[in-house]
């Protein structure tokens, strides 16, 4: 009889089908972390459960999948109230069109201008709306550690699937402060997976590769990072020093999805997936299958969409494009503004050329 085993070692976890428990122990006995799932050491068992999900064929998949959509927050036409009905419809649509997970209440969701009560209601609405296979990741980050801890606890109570934790903005902590910040947040709910979010352009500080690797190594439920620093060397250094089946690295920019997958990236936290989720999922699938040229064809086809969705600060262009495609997502809240007429013209022509209208 063949049995599924998760085998740990000093350089990561391996998932596979072995003929017996004895074969697994023989292979990794010196590390003392290998065996059937219940026989692993607690720290390795926890990371395996959080970092991997198993397909019917026995292949491992990252817990948040490959295509994670950073979902916009729909507002009523005057921008004064969240439109929860449209949020419910949009979440269900994204889940059925290529998204493995949704980040709700993140930067694309205009978290700086949402109240926590609005965010908690969005979490509830979106969780109820999506199919069982689609995960909800709460935008629970803050530049106040205690506030992020409280939001994380609320996310756990709502039975969400994880949290996104952004590097603290404006107060510019040192690297040791970043380490302690994220560790305290993760350890307040040790069974809730955490995705780190490094975006120096918005936060004014870069989380170093060394700090990210420390967190990935020391804290079992920190299982992923969204890398939006645009630094290939830093991305590669983190990937080199972390186990690919334990710690998953996502591009934070659609235009960098395919290049970063060549460096061991997992997938993308995407804005473009509001419009081409299935196409992005196919691009990733083709790359993983070794059909690089076909994956590049998809990347090049949508390269201008990746670019033009960021011609103004996100999510101004994304919400404008969604309105053009029939979604009543409303405006952005101040201090974000409406798109310029020039941007609207560019987006309309682009969406038309891509047959998305």
């Amino acid at each position: 009889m063949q049995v599924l085993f998760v085998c740990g070692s000093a350089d990561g976890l391996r998932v596979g089908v072995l003929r017996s428990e004895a074969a697994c122990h023989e292979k990794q006995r010196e590390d003392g972390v290998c065996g059937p799932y219940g026989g692993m050491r607690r720290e390795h068992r926890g990371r395996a459960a959080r970092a991997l999900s198993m397909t019917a064929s026995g292949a491992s998949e990252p817990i948040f999948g490959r295509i994670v959509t950073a979902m916009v927050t729909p507002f009523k036409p005057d921008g004064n109230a969240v439109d929860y009905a449209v949020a419910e419809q949009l979440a269900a649509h994204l889940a059925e069109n290529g998204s493995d997970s949704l980040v709700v209440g993140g930067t694309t969701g205009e978290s700086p201008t949402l109240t926590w009560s609005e965010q908690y209601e969005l979490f509830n609405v979106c969780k109820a709306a999506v199919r069982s296979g689609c995960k909800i990741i709460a935008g629970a980050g803050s530049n106040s550690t205690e506030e992020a801890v409280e939001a994380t606890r609320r996310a756990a109570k709502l039975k969400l699937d994880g949290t996104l934790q952004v590097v603290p903005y404006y107060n510019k902590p040192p690297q040791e402060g970043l380490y302690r910040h994220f560790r305290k947040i993760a350890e307040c709910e040790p069974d809730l997976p955490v995705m780190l979010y490094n975006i120096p352009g918005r936060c004014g500080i870069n989380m170093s590769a060394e700090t990210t690797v420390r967190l990935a190594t020391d804290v079992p439920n920190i299982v992923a990072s969204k890398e939006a620093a645009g630094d290939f060397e830093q991305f590669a250094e983190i990937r080199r020093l972390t186990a690919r089946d334990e710690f998953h690295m996502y591009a934070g920019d659609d235009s960098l999805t395919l290049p970063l997958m060549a460096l061991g990236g997992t997938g993308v936290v995407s804005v473009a997936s509001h419009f081409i989720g299935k196409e992005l999922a196919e691009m990733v699938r083709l790359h993983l299958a070794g059909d690089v040229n076909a994956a590049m064809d998809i990347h090049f086809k949508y390269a201008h969409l990746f670019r033009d969705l960021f011609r103004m600060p996100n999510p101004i262009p994304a919400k404008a494009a969604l309105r053009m495609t029939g979604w009543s997502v409303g405006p952005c809240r101040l201090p974000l503004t409406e798109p310029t007429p020039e941007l609207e013209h560019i987006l309309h022509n682009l969406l038309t050329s891509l047959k998305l209208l």
Side-chain angles (χ1 to χ4, degrees):
M1 179 179 67
Q2 293 184 329
V3 183
L4 180 68
F5 286 91
V6 180
C7 301
S9 69
D11 62 350
L13 295 171
R14 299 183 179 87
V15 182
V17 179
L18 301 178
R19 292 188 179 278
S20 68
E21 179 179 354
C24 183
H25 278 286
E26 180 65 25
K27 189 176 182 181
Q28 297 286 331
R29 189 179 302 277
E30 66 275 13
D31 289 321
V33 293
C34 181
Y37 206 72
M40 295 174 65
R41 286 182 180 173
R42 181 182 59 82
E43 62 270 26
H44 295 281
R45 185 172 67 246
R47 185 176 291 281
R50 297 177 187 107
L52 300 174
S53 60
M54 306 308 300
T55 65
S57 65
S60 64
E61 288 293 331
I63 190 171
F64 297 132
R66 303 287 179 179
I67 306 300
V68 180
T69 298
M71 188 178 125
V72 305
T73 296
F75 295 121
K76 298 289 188 179
D78 60 6
N80 289 331
V82 175
D83 194 326
Y84 295 108
V86 175
E88 179 181 17
Q89 294 164 10
L90 182 59
H93 170 79
L94 294 171
E96 294 299 327
N97 285 276
S99 296
D100 300 309
S101 296
L102 308 178
V103 173
V104 178
T107 309
T108 304
E110 300 180 66
S111 58
T113 56
L114 292 173
T115 66
W116 281 113
S117 61
E118 286 174 327
Q119 285 196 241
Y120 296 143
E121 182 60 21
L122 277 168
F123 298 158
N124 270 322
V125 166
C126 293
K127 181 68 174 175
V130 301
R131 55 180 169 76
S132 59
C134 186
K135 307 282 198 307
I136 299 296
I137 304 169
S142 173
N143 61 349
S144 163
T145 305
E146 293 306 319
E147 190 172 83
V149 165
E150 175 59 26
T152 298
R153 286 174 174 157
R154 288 289 296 269
K157 289 180 181 177
L158 293 172
K159 301 187 184 306
L160 303 185
D161 302 292
T163 68
L164 181 71
Q165 299 291 340
V166 69
V167 166
Y169 38 88
Y170 190 72
N171 43 10
K172 297 182 73 172
Q175 295 297 314
E176 181 62 26
L178 295 179
Y179 176 84
R180 296 183 192 179
H181 171 82
F182 288 121
R183 181 161 191 163
K184 184 170 184 178
I185 293 166
E187 289 181 342
C188 82
E189 290 292 342
D191 292 325
L192 189 64
V194 172
M195 179 187 290
L196 305 174
Y197 182 16
N198 187 36
I199 181 165
R202 285 187 180 268
C203 297
I205 185 171
N206 176 58
M207 183 160 63
S208 69
E210 180 184 13
T211 300
T212 302
V213 171
R214 283 181 67 197
L215 288 162
T217 303
D218 295 349
V219 189
N221 60 318
I222 294 181
V223 299
S225 66
K226 175 185 176 183
E227 291 293 323
D231 187 333
F232 281 69
E233 184 175 351
Q234 177 167 300
F235 188 98
E237 184 69 359
I238 297 168
R239 181 73 294 162
R240 182 178 74 86
L241 296 171
T242 54
R244 295 182 199 177
D245 284 343
E246 284 188 52
F247 189 70
H248 297 286
M249 298 183 65
Y250 293 84
D253 300 286
D254 283 293
S255 63
L256 297 182
T257 305
L258 199 57
L260 290 178
M261 289 198 72
L263 291 173
T266 301
V268 61
V269 179
S270 173
V271 176
S273 53
H274 283 87
F275 311 95
I276 55 168
K278 289 182 177 179
E279 292 84 347
L280 291 177
E282 177 65 4
M283 181 184 75
V284 169
R285 186 194 68 78
L286 287 167
H287 175 86
L288 293 172
D291 196 344
V292 176
N293 287 329
M296 282 197 298
D297 287 342
I298 296 174
H299 173 90
F300 292 139
K301 177 178 180 179
Y302 295 108
H304 288 181
L305 180 65
F306 302 154
R307 179 195 65 194
D308 291 344
L309 286 175
F310 288 87
R311 279 186 177 267
M312 288 184 72
N314 181 44
I316 294 171
K319 293 188 92 171
L322 281 166
R323 290 192 296 271
M324 292 177 191
T325 57
W327 285 96
S328 300
V329 293
C332 295
R333 282 180 173 171
L334 285 171
L336 297 182
T337 63
E338 65 278 357
T340 63
E342 178 187 12
L343 175 61
E344 293 216 341
H345 178 72
I346 289 170
L347 289 173
H348 187 273
N349 287 344
L350 176 64
L351 295 173
T352 300
S353 70
L354 292 174
K355 300 182 180 179
L356 295 174
L357 287 182

